[in-house]
Structures are given as structure tokens and as C-alpha cells.
Amino acid sequence: MARAKIEGLRAATAPVVAFAEDHCFPSPTWAEVLIERHAGEWAAVGPAMRNANPATMLSWAGIYLHYGCCVEPARAGRANQLPWHNIAYKRDLLLACGEDLRQLLAVEGVLLDELRARGHALYFEAGAKTYHVQITRLWSWMRHSFWGGRLFGAVRARENRWTVWRRLVYIGGGALIPLVKLRRTLPKIRRAGRARELLPRVLPAMLAGLIPHALGEVTGYALGLGDAERRYSYFEMRRTQHITDGDRRRLDAEDFFHTDGGGVAA
């Protein structure tokens, strides 16, 4: 996916480029709002994420673990993180990353860290909304989590030029990774006012993703990237193969764009 994004970036001529997923459905005003916000100083602007297939706890686990910082409702403003794969960037700042851009686009969290390290600012735009389809088949969820973890760990260690000793420290602390991420995610559920609806029922689904992700992350620190990028892309580009039959029927029947500009039906 990173190679394809770079080809699109180079072919583009507009000053702002936006990446979007084929399993993500923006509201009609999404592009307009992102372009307006980019009139400011921001290097990258991200939209508010809505759950397109909210019938299962796996879906809620997925959207909060991946996009907890930006799940609606959330307050607009300067941000440290944005929803990966769904961000609008100033094109020239991406091109300035040079040969490192391919690996940075493979794990956009590292790219966002790099932009902030260069003195650029990020913005979360709550007025730009998009509906995201989560994986809802358990075995797919676990495999996606493992390969995403390996991709993250390998790119993080390489781009930050970690020493062998630092890699060993993180490998040794791998068992703590699910607890750390769970601790960071639960307040986001409470902040959104969904604690009564989701807690504690969502916890088993979260752990079913966090544990494989931690195993993959440790593997990435120890053994590097391997085939992780290709395997992870399989789940990203063939999302309908990894949702339940019930989700597929509901999405097929859904009217994703209301005439009132409200986007996907809840």
C-alpha cells in the first residue's frame, strides 16, 4: 500500500493530498472541510471516525484500539495522533521526507511523529466525518493484529535507529504491551460516553487483538519486517472477506449518503 500511495502522491498536483480506505465512507462535506482546515498551518489534518458496522464487540474493539483518539464524539484541535490511512497532508511536506517516505507511510504513526519532530503541527477536525468498517471475524481480527504489530515494531525500531539493547528491553517487556494499550484506550471509551454500553463486554474482544498485536510487535523488534507489510495489506484491501455475514448484509442494504449531508446511517 505504501508504494501505491507514493505513486499517487507523485502524480498529484494539488497542494493537499488525502489518503482514504476502500472500507471507509466519508460524509459529503468531508473533502470540503479538510481543504478549509488546510488553509492554516497544519501539516496533516484527520477526520472524526464513526463505526460503520457497530453490531459486534469486535467492531467496537477495533475502532477504539485503532482510532480511539478520533472516534466521534471528540473535540477538535491540535493533536499528537490522527487516524492512520485517512489523513489529509500537505503534499510538499511528504515529498520532503525523501527515501524514508515509503517506510513512514507503511506505519503512519511514525510518519506523524516525524512531522512533529520537524516542527510541524497536526490537527483533528471533528467537522470532517467518515464511517469505517471494522474486521468482525475473530480469526481475521487476530491475524490482522499480529501482522499489524510486526509491521509497527519493525518500522518503529528501524526508523528510530534503535540499538540492539533497546530492542532487547522492549522484547523483554512485551507482556506489558497489552496492558499499556488497554490503559490508554479505556479512558477514550469513557470520554465518548460509551462506558455503560461497552464496558466490560468489549474487553475480551480487545484482548483478542492486543495479545496477538504484542506478539507481532515483539517479533518485529527481534526479526524485522519480513513479509508483514504484504500480509497486513491483505486484510486492509479485502475487508469484506473479514466481516460477518450479518455485517455484510447490513452494509449492502445501508444507504451510506443521506440527502441531508449527514453521511452514513448509524
Side-chain angles (χ1 to χ4, degrees):
M1 289 191 299
R3 286 196 298 269
K5 288 178 178 179
I6 289 175
E7 290 302 316
L9 178 67
R10 289 172 176 165
T13 57
V16 174
V17 294
F19 298 118
E21 300 172 295
D22 61 0
H23 52 274
C24 214
F25 301 91
S27 66
T29 60
W30 166 85
E32 179 183 356
V33 173
L34 291 176
I35 291 169
E36 287 177 354
R37 182 57 61 186
H38 260 290
E41 60 177 326
W42 315 106
V45 181
M49 307 299 288
R50 291 175 167 182
N51 193 347
N53 55 331
T56 68
M57 287 299 108
L58 277 181
S59 179
W60 285 111
I63 197 166
Y64 273 104
L65 287 174
H66 296 152
Y67 301 120
C69 63
C70 303
V71 177
E72 194 183 47
R75 183 177 298 177
R78 182 184 290 263
N80 290 327
Q81 283 294 325
L82 296 172
W84 302 4
H85 315 307
N86 294 280
I87 302 171
Y89 296 93
K90 284 188 170 60
R91 178 174 177 266
D92 60 341
L93 297 182
L94 292 188
L95 293 175
C97 293
E99 295 299 320
D100 290 335
L101 183 59
R102 183 181 178 279
Q103 290 302 320
L104 293 173
L105 280 173
V107 179
E108 279 188 72
V110 180
L111 171 59
L112 297 175
D113 289 342
E114 176 67 19
L115 290 174
R116 290 194 298 113
R118 296 184 181 194
H120 303 300
L122 318 177
Y123 193 89
F124 167 64
E125 177 50 75
K129 305 177 190 299
T130 187
Y131 274 79
H132 186 272
V133 177
Q134 277 65 238
I135 290 173
T136 51
R137 291 188 180 274
L138 179 59
W139 181 231
S140 297
W141 168 237
M142 295 174 70
R143 288 183 292 157
H144 175 264
S145 296
F146 175 84
W147 291 114
R150 180 164 183 178
L151 180 61
F152 173 75
V155 172
R156 181 189 191 192
R158 181 163 64 188
E159 290 301 316
N160 291 302
R161 297 174 176 82
W162 282 10
T163 64
V164 172
W165 291 111
R166 185 166 186 179
R167 289 174 185 258
L168 289 174
V169 168
Y170 275 76
I171 290 169
L176 299 176
I177 293 174
L179 299 177
V180 171
K181 293 189 175 180
L182 197 63
R183 184 180 179 185
R184 292 174 179 171
T185 303
L186 294 183
K188 296 168 184 174
I189 294 176
R190 296 189 181 99
R191 182 196 65 208
R194 294 192 179 273
R196 180 176 297 181
E197 175 187 355
L198 299 179
L199 298 177
R201 293 188 301 144
V202 77
L203 295 179
M206 285 187 165
L207 291 173
L210 286 171
I211 292 172
H213 190 281
L215 291 172
E217 193 172 329
V218 167
T219 304
Y221 296 144
L223 302 178
L225 191 61
D227 200 24
E229 188 173 2
R230 182 184 67 84
R231 290 179 177 269
Y232 181 75
S233 296
Y234 164 69
F235 297 97
E236 291 296 303
M237 296 190 291
R238 294 173 174 82
R239 183 56 53 93
T240 57
Q241 298 178 22
H242 306 289
I243 62 176
T244 64
D245 292 340
D247 274 348
R248 191 177 295 110
R249 286 192 297 270
R250 282 186 288 270
L251 290 170
D252 285 345
E254 190 65 85
D255 177 13
F256 274 93
F257 294 94
H258 293 315
T259 56
D260 64 1
V264 151

